């Protein structure tokens, strides 16, 4: 099977189970996230129920405290109740006329100067812009006739026009938020849009803060107190407030009041949960009366959500890592199997190639020796037959020599007997051998007289013979060939160049490996076993050097073999 087809089948075979495992992992991850979210909800429900039980138990104790309460001066009553109040309730003390004494009313701002009031009147009729500018510039406490603040609304208009700095309005809101009623807060919340992101957030947070206690409790005085006959001696109101008040003999009343804002201080919740205002309509609601409901929510919803997502992601990551590991392992195993298969194919080709390389000269030798034996040759034919016989014998012995050396190299038994030899001698001997084998090819030798190499001359001769015979085989028309010796200071460099067809970049990487041949027409059409260049590189490396090729398709190739200089 062709390699690309085999890889395609492998990719398909690996992709199908990988996708299946990934789908399973994604589903497991989302199930896990849902499970963690369910666990978190179940915990909040349990905390909501426990909180409700705690609050009711604390209220029962508060009733006892009130029943035991002795009439006393307001300040004493206040400190007594403060000492015994449940953590989620506020103390309330009302005077004989029903006025709220505790918590203390908030002191009001100074009345607006007459000019501000005049400007306020001007707003409705005359030059609206001028009046508004004067109010924003100098009347920060100006209110409408109904007692609602005018200043922030006018100033926000000017922020939108770009004439009042946004942070001035934002800091006014921060400072005054505690004095603003629910309706004013709602209007301002809707109008802070023109403030830039950062200050808008701060203003909204201030507007979302709890209403001041006095303002909150003012409603207590106006709502009709519901009386519960079971709560002897106490007035119990259950509405938006849950109040337990004990009337005092000389008029007035004292007690505890639980409202949305006071509930938020309820203690005993795990650190990551908080009580938040308003009902949610689910099991995390803590309902003390039908109208007074808070709920349990995560202090940092994003963190809990992230935790749920993280546990999902963890499962997904394990799934993906598993798939990747399996794919990498399968790829490695597949690549190794392909390599082994290719090596087996190459070896088979190699045996066939060696047999072929031996058979051709052997056939010539046999045929010519039979002619000689039969005495059928004329005298003038004898020299030519002798020359052919000697040539074929050289070819045979070169092939056998190459195979023996390759075998030794493959077994790691290549022995290197170094001696000092002039490079020019090595090159000239190689030229002489080449000329005998290829009298029709030109070869140029270029070696400095002084360059001496410290090598095994027999092995280097084998290197040059291989490279030159390759040049003659694969670059038949690319002569004159050139063998050259150079020194780069640390190495002696022997090179063999031709101006033949060159070698493609893909093949250049492979041809130094055993049995590999460039997969081109030229290689297929030419006898060869694919061991020559691996022997060249093996011999160079056995000397501590290396071999490589520089080649341009259509221009030619230069094989360079590097041997370390003595002492380098
Ligand atoms: P063989 O010659 O027995 O095939 P080698 O290891 O000597 O084995 O060469 C490997 C391959 O390198 C050859 O099959 C040929 O494709 C390529 N090759 C070697 N020398 C040259 C050259 N001078 N020009 C072009 N291709 C070459």
């Amino acid at each position: 099977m062709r390699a690309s087809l085999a890889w395609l089948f492998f990719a398909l075979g690996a992709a199908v189970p990988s996708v299946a495992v990934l789908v399973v992992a994604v589903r497991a991850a989302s199930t896990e996230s849902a499970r963690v979210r369910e666990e978190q909800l179940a915990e909040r429900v349990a905390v909501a129920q426990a909180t409700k039980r705690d609050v009711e138990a604390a209220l029962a104790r508060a009733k006892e405290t009130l029943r035991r309460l002795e009439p006393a001066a307001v300040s004493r009553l206040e400190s007594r109740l403060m000492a015994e109040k449940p953590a989620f309730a506020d103390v309330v003390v009302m005077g004989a006329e029903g006025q709220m004494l505790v918590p203390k009313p908030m002191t009001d701002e100074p009345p607006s100067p007459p000019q501000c009031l005049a400007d306020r009147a001007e707003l409705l009729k005359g030059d609206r812009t001028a009046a508004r500018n004067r109010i924003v510039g100098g009347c920060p406490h100006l209110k409408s006739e109904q007692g609602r603040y005018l200043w922030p609304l006018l100033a926000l208009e000017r922020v939108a026009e770009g004439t009042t700095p946004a942070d001035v309005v934002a800091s006014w809101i921060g400072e005054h938020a505690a004095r603003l009623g629910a309706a004013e807060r709602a209007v301002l919340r809707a109008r802070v849009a023109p403030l830039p992101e950062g200050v808008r957030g701060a203003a909204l947070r201030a507007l979302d803060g709890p209403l001041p206690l006095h303002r909150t409790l003012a409603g207590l005085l106006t709502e009709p107190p519901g009386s519960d006959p079971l709560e002897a001696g106490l007035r119990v109101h259950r509405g938006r407030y849950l109040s337990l008040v004990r009337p005092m003999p000389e008029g007035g009343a004292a007690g505890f009041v639980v409202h949305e804002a006071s509930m938020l201080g309820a203690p005993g919740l795990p650190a990551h949960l908080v009580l938040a205002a308003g009902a949610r309509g689910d099991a995390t609601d803590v309902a003390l009366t039908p109208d007074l409901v808070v709920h349990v929510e995560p202090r940092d919803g994003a963190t809990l959500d992230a935790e749920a997502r993280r546990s999902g992601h963890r499962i997904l990551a394990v799934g993906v890592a598993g798939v990747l590991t399996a794919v990498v392992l399968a790829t490695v195993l597949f690549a190794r199997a392909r390599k082994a298969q290719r090596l087996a194919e190459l070896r088979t080709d190699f045996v066939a190639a060696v047999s072929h390389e031996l058979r051709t000269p052997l056939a010539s030798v046999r045929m010519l020796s039979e002619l000689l034996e039969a005495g059928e040759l004329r005298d003038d034919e004898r020299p030519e037959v002798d020359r052919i016989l000697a040539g074929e014998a050289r070819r045979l012995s070169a092939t056998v020599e190459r195979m023996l050396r390759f075998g030794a190299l493959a077994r790691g038994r290549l022995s290197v007997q170094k001696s000092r030899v002039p490079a020019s001698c090595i090159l000239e001997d190689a030229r002489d051998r080449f000329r005998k084998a290829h009298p029709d090819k030109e070869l140029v030798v270029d070696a400095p007289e002084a360059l001496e190499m410290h090598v095994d001359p027999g092995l280097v001769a084998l290197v040059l013979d291989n490279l030159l015979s390759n040049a003659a085989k694969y670059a038949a028309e690319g002569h004159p060939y050139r063998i050259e010796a150079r020194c780069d200071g640390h190495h002696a460099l022997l090179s063999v160049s031709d101006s033949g067809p060159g070698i493609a970049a893909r093949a250049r990487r492979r041809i130094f490996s055993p049995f590999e041949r460039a997969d081109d027409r030229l290689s297929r059409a030419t006898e060869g076993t694919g061991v020559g260049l691996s022997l060249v590189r093996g011999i160079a490396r056995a000397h501590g050097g290396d071999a490589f090729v520089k080649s341009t398709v259509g221009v030619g190739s230069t094989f360079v073999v590097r041997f370390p200089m003595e002492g380098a």
Side-chain angles (χ1 to χ4, degrees):
M1 198 187 320
R2 286 200 42 200
S4 47
L5 207 59
W7 276 105
L8 182 71
F9 278 125
F10 167 73
L12 281 177
V16 173
S18 303
V19 169
V21 172
L22 277 179
V23 169
V24 171
V26 168
R27 295 186 65 163
S30 66
T31 314
E32 175 65 6
S33 300
R35 191 190 61 76
V36 172
R37 282 200 181 90
E38 257 168 40
E39 258 176 24
Q40 290 170 353
L41 180 66
E43 186 201 7
R44 293 205 327 263
V45 170
V47 168
Q49 286 162 355
T51 305
K52 189 163 180 191
R53 280 195 302 275
D54 289 351
V55 167
E56 274 161 359
L59 284 176
R61 285 196 298 277
K63 280 178 195 166
E64 276 314 302
T65 305
L66 287 180
R67 283 198 188 100
R68 281 187 275 105
L69 191 67
E70 300 291 334
V74 171
S75 62
R76 284 212 41 222
L77 273 179
E78 185 185 358
S79 56
R80 185 70 220 280
L81 290 174
M82 279 309 241
E84 306 210 25
K85 87 173 177 68
F88 50 82
D90 280 313
V91 170
V92 61
V93 179
M94 283 177 269
E97 281 83 46
Q99 78 277 30
M100 184 80 71
L101 301 174
V102 176
K104 290 191 182 56
M106 199 178 253
T107 49
D108 232 333
E109 277 115 356
S112 293
Q115 179 55 48
C116 291
L117 298 177
D119 285 336
R120 182 177 70 186
E122 190 69 14
L123 260 189
L124 299 173
K125 37 193 173 69
D127 179 357
R128 192 173 187 278
T129 312
R132 188 190 59 173
N133 288 350
R134 282 198 299 280
I135 292 170
V136 174
C139 310
H141 302 307
L142 187 69
K143 294 180 176 177
S144 71
E145 281 170 3
Q146 292 74 38
R148 299 244 182 267
Y149 273 108
L150 271 182
W151 193 89
L153 298 176
L154 297 177
L156 281 169
E157 282 177 27
R158 292 201 6 149
V159 170
E161 290 163 9
T163 44
T164 294
D167 53 346
V168 171
V169 187
S171 77
W172 187 96
I173 293 176
E175 220 172 88
H176 290 75
R179 295 168 193 281
L180 301 174
E184 277 170 303
R185 287 169 185 237
V187 173
L188 279 182
R189 214 175 281 126
R191 299 245 188 124
V192 292
L195 298 182
E197 182 65 30
V199 287
R200 184 172 63 229
L204 283 175
R205 271 195 300 284
L207 289 172
D208 286 339
L211 286 174
L213 190 56
H214 179 266
R215 208 182 263 279
T216 311
L217 294 188
L220 193 60
L221 298 171
T222 54
E223 283 180 21
S227 217
D228 188 335
L230 295 176
E231 312 280 353
L234 297 181
R235 274 168 57 195
V236 179
H237 173 87
R238 293 175 198 271
R240 277 194 303 126
Y241 312 99
L242 196 165
S243 64
L244 303 174
V245 178
R246 161 134 181 226
M248 291 293 144
E250 60 277 17
F256 303 111
V257 61
V258 183
H259 51 99
E260 220 171 47
S262 73
M263 269 299 288
L264 303 188
L269 265 62
H272 62 285
L273 296 178
V274 284
L275 284 182
R280 201 186 246 187
D282 65 17
T284 69
D285 285 349
V286 181
L288 295 182
T289 77
D291 296 324
L292 174 55
V293 185
V294 292
H295 72 270
V296 179
E297 69 173 31
R299 183 177 294 281
D300 182 354
T303 314
L304 280 193
D305 213 42
E307 190 192 307
R309 260 182 284 124
R310 257 203 310 278
S311 21
H313 287 173
R314 265 198 295 276
I315 290 204
L316 196 60
V318 170
V320 171
V323 168
L324 284 181
T325 316
V327 168
V328 168
L329 278 178
T331 310
V332 169
L333 288 179
F334 182 74
R336 293 187 74 150
R338 286 286 316 163
K339 202 171 161 187
Q341 189 187 356
R342 180 165 162 71
L343 205 62
E345 284 166 11
L346 287 173
R347 283 203 178 119
T348 315
D349 291 352
F350 168 73
V351 172
V354 172
S355 315
H356 190 71
E357 213 169 295
L358 293 174
R359 196 172 58 187
T360 317
L362 265 179
S364 308
V365 169
R366 215 179 91 193
M367 191 192 78
L368 292 173
S369 51
E370 278 169 7
L371 282 176
L372 280 174
E373 200 179 28
E376 287 177 7
L377 286 175
R378 295 194 311 270
D379 281 353
D380 61 327
E381 288 171 335
R382 290 287 299 249
E384 178 61 8
V385 169
D386 288 347
R387 194 187 61 73
I388 297 174
L389 270 177
E392 296 296 21
R394 267 199 305 277
R395 240 175 98 188
L396 275 173
S397 86
T399 303
V400 171
E401 173 74 6
R402 203 164 60 236
M403 294 310 145
L404 286 175
R405 297 290 189 166
F406 176 73
L409 183 73
R411 289 195 307 275
R413 299 238 179 96
L414 188 73
S415 88
V416 179
Q417 312 288 335
K418 288 190 193 173
S419 59
R420 231 170 273 121
V421 211
S424 55
C425 287
I426 296 181
L427 265 53
E428 277 155 18
D429 287 352
R431 179 191 56 198
D432 295 346
R433 286 191 302 277
F434 181 77
R435 276 195 184 145
K436 268 199 196 127
H438 304 279
D440 54 326
K441 308 265 192 269
E442 272 183 70
L443 175 62
V444 181
V445 175
D446 180 4
E449 282 301 323
L451 179 59
E452 217 172 48
M453 297 173 67
H454 190 230
V455 290
D456 183 322
L459 291 179
V460 177
L462 195 58
V463 164
L464 290 174
D465 290 351
N466 262 298
L467 294 177
L468 283 169
S469 85
N470 274 354
K473 263 201 290 184
Y474 301 111
E477 304 307 319
H479 60 109
Y481 310 125
R482 187 179 173 82
I483 43 177
E484 207 177 303
R486 287 276 167 273
C487 172
D488 69 359
H490 301 291
H491 300 97
L493 304 170
L494 300 187
S495 64
V496 176
S497 317
D498 63 63
S499 358
I503 305 165
R506 253 164 56 89
R508 260 179 258 155
R509 282 194 293 274
R510 289 191 291 108
I511 53 176
F512 285 95
S513 302
F515 316 127
E516 292 281 3
R517 309 187 72 203
D519 189 20
D520 54 17
R521 218 164 23 84
L522 191 65
S523 277
R524 273 181 273 123
T526 318
E527 240 174 47
T529 54
V531 300
L533 289 179
S534 81
L535 192 58
V536 167
R537 177 168 275 178
I539 290 173
R541 288 186 175 168
H543 280 80
D546 208 348
F548 51 93
V549 63
K550 293 184 259 181
S551 181
T552 308
V553 174
V555 175
S557 313
T558 299
F559 287 85
V560 182
V561 192
R562 206 167 56 192
F563 296 96
M565 296 295 284
E566 196 176 10

